[in-house]
């Protein structure tokens, strides 16, 4: 067969044209135009007083406020996570006392505003001037002034942590229930105890469900610390920037300072959340298809057998009952 016949019999490839999406370009141009106008407005508007923002962005009081805000966030979340694990386990207990105690805790702390709870912790010394311990209806062993134990920072941490524990308890309960019961049954068949099953089998698998909403709650806690003035606690970032704004009579630049710091901290928390999710999502949360390993020898054998496979349909038609099997 000459070259002309080969070219004549060669298959003709389709000259495909990609689908055009004019709407995407139009919407992108509109969005970019709006963003450009907003950036121009923010930069050129002198009422934002960016010089004041630059002056106070690293002010000592502001930086100290950032530190206190981080302390409140971390300490409150530690308390909330510990209590949430305990409450979630209690909620799944066969003991009705533990189960209903957990339910009442979640009901109360989710049903009342966090601001009200913070005010309560600020007034705890008024309700209970002394903390004492002793025999019921008997002698008192020791007592201490409540105000010396529950200071403003302790009250703020307790108020935030106890409130958050109710929300995290439901998140943890949903995560624990997402693990198949067969995991527990298999572990019990191996002779593992209940506590070991929870910490070694159930929790590691439930973390994939627990981590994302817990990260969101942590970011929410960061911003909820702005309410600790109700205790009153007056060293956090929001109070520090408000105090500076009241002193120089320029509230907008100091609000921008607080917003910038909150955005920076939130961004760091989001990065940490991403890596934690990736760690607990190994083998599950992946969009990559598994690589197919082809054995060259097997490929050659399949190619050699392929021509003879064309005669198989005729044989299969003679025995339809075998084909059905």
């Amino acid at each position: 067969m000459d070259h002309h016949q080969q070219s004549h019999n060669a298959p003709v490839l389709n000259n495909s044209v990609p689908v055009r999406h004019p709407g995407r370009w139009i919407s992108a141009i509109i969005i970019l135009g709006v963003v450009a106008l907003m950036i121009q407005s923010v930069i050129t508007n002198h009422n934002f007083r960016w010089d004041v923002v630059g002056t106070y962005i690293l002010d000592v009081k502001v930086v100290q406020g950032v530190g206190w805000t981080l302390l409140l966030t971390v300490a409150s979340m530690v308390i909330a996570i510990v209590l949430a694990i305990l409450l979630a386990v209690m909620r799944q207990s066969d003991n009705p006392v533990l189960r209903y105690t957990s339910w009442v805790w979640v009901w109360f702390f989710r049903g009342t505003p966090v601001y009200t709870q913070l005010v309560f912790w600020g007034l705890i010394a008024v309700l209970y001037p002394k903390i004492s311990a002793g025999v019921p209806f008997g002698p008192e062993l020791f007592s201490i002034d409540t105000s010396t134990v529950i200071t403003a920072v302790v009250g703020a941490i307790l108020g935030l942590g106890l409130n958050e524990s109710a929300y995290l308890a439901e998140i943890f309960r949903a995560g624990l229930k997402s693990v198949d019961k067969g995991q527990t049954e298999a572990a019990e068949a191996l002779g593992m105890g209940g506590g070991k099953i929870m910490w070694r089998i159930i929790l590691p698998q439930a973390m994939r469900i627990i981590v994302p909403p817990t990260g969101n709650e942590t970011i929410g806690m960061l911003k909820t610390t702005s309410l600790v003035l109700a205790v009153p606690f007056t060293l956090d970032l929001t109070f520090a920037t408000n105090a500076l704004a009241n002193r120089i009579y320029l509230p907008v630049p100091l609000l921008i300072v607080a917003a910038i710091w909150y955005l920076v901290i939130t961004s760091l928390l989001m990065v940490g959340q991403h890596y934690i999710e990736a760690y607990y999502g190994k083998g599950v949360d992946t969009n990559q298809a598994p690589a197919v390993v082809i054995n060259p020898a097997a490929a050659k054998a399949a190619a050699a057998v392929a021509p003879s496979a064309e005669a198989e349909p005729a044989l299969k038609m003679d025995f339809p009952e075998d084909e059905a099997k």
Side-chain angles (χ1 to χ4, degrees):
M1 185 180 293
D2 57 9
H3 178 72
H4 178 72
Q5 289 179 336
Q6 289 180 354
S7 61
H8 179 73
N9 296 329
V12 179
L13 298 178
N14 293 329
N15 187 16
S16 60
V17 178
V19 180
R20 303 183 185 278
H21 301 281
R24 296 180 182 177
W25 289 100
I26 295 173
S27 59
I29 292 172
I30 293 174
I31 292 174
L32 291 175
V34 172
V35 171
L37 289 174
M38 292 178 62
I39 294 175
Q40 180 186 7
S41 174
V42 170
I43 293 176
T44 59
N45 191 340
H46 298 288
N47 294 325
F48 284 101
R49 296 298 302 271
W50 293 105
D51 56 331
V52 179
V53 173
T55 302
Y56 287 96
I57 191 70
L58 295 177
D59 185 82
V60 175
K61 293 293 183 181
V62 173
V63 175
Q64 290 177 350
V66 172
W68 280 108
T69 297
L70 289 173
L71 175 63
L72 292 175
T73 302
V74 173
S76 300
M77 287 304 297
V78 169
I79 293 175
I81 289 172
V82 172
L83 288 175
I85 295 174
L86 180 62
L87 291 169
V89 173
M90 291 171 59
R91 189 72 176 271
Q92 295 186 343
S93 173
D94 295 331
N95 188 328
V97 176
L98 297 179
R99 190 166 61 250
Y100 286 111
T101 300
S102 173
W103 183 89
V104 170
W105 181 286
V106 173
W107 166 78
F108 176 79
F109 283 101
R110 285 205 310 177
T112 54
V114 62
Y115 188 87
T116 303
Q117 296 174 30
L118 290 172
V119 172
F120 171 82
W121 284 106
L123 298 174
I124 189 68
V126 177
L127 297 172
Y128 300 98
K130 289 187 177 182
I131 299 175
S132 59
V135 180
F137 305 103
E140 182 179 277
L141 299 179
F142 75 92
S143 66
I144 188 172
D145 291 338
T146 304
S147 58
T148 61
V149 176
I150 303 179
T151 59
V153 62
V154 174
I157 292 173
L158 288 176
L160 295 172
L162 297 184
N163 177 265
E164 185 61 33
S165 67
Y167 295 92
L168 289 183
E170 293 299 287
I171 293 174
F172 278 53
R173 183 172 68 90
L176 295 178
K177 290 178 70 68
S178 67
V179 181
D180 189 83
K181 291 183 178 179
Q183 301 282 335
T184 302
E185 295 172 356
E188 289 176 347
L190 295 174
M192 297 178 66
K196 194 172 183 180
I197 292 174
M198 177 60 65
W199 291 106
R200 299 291 298 274
I201 305 298
I202 306 300
L203 266 182
Q205 297 182 71
M207 289 299 288
R208 187 176 63 87
I209 307 298
I210 293 172
V211 167
T214 302
N216 295 336
E217 290 294 322
T218 304
I219 294 173
M221 174 64 73
L222 174 71
K223 292 172 286 188
T224 306
T225 56
S226 61
L227 300 177
V228 293
L229 180 62
V231 174
F233 182 78
T234 58
L235 296 176
D236 65 295
L237 176 60
T238 298
F239 186 88
T241 52
N242 287 339
L244 291 173
N246 293 332
R247 191 179 69 185
I248 64 176
Y249 301 103
L250 291 173
V252 173
L254 273 302
L255 287 174
I256 295 175
V257 169
I260 291 173
W261 274 111
Y262 280 119
L263 284 172
V264 170
I265 301 171
T266 300
S267 301
L268 295 176
L269 291 176
M270 290 175 66
V271 172
Q273 177 183 347
H274 168 75
Y275 284 105
I276 295 175
E277 288 184 20
Y279 175 78
Y280 285 105
K282 289 179 180 178
V284 179
D285 299 333
T286 176
N287 295 324
Q288 297 179 353
V292 178
V293 180
I294 300 176
N295 189 333
K300 285 185 178 181
V305 175
S308 62
E310 297 177 356
E312 291 183 1
L315 297 176
K316 292 181 179 178
M317 293 298 294
D318 295 336
F319 303 97
E321 63 279 4
D322 292 338
E323 179 67 14
K325 291 180 182 178

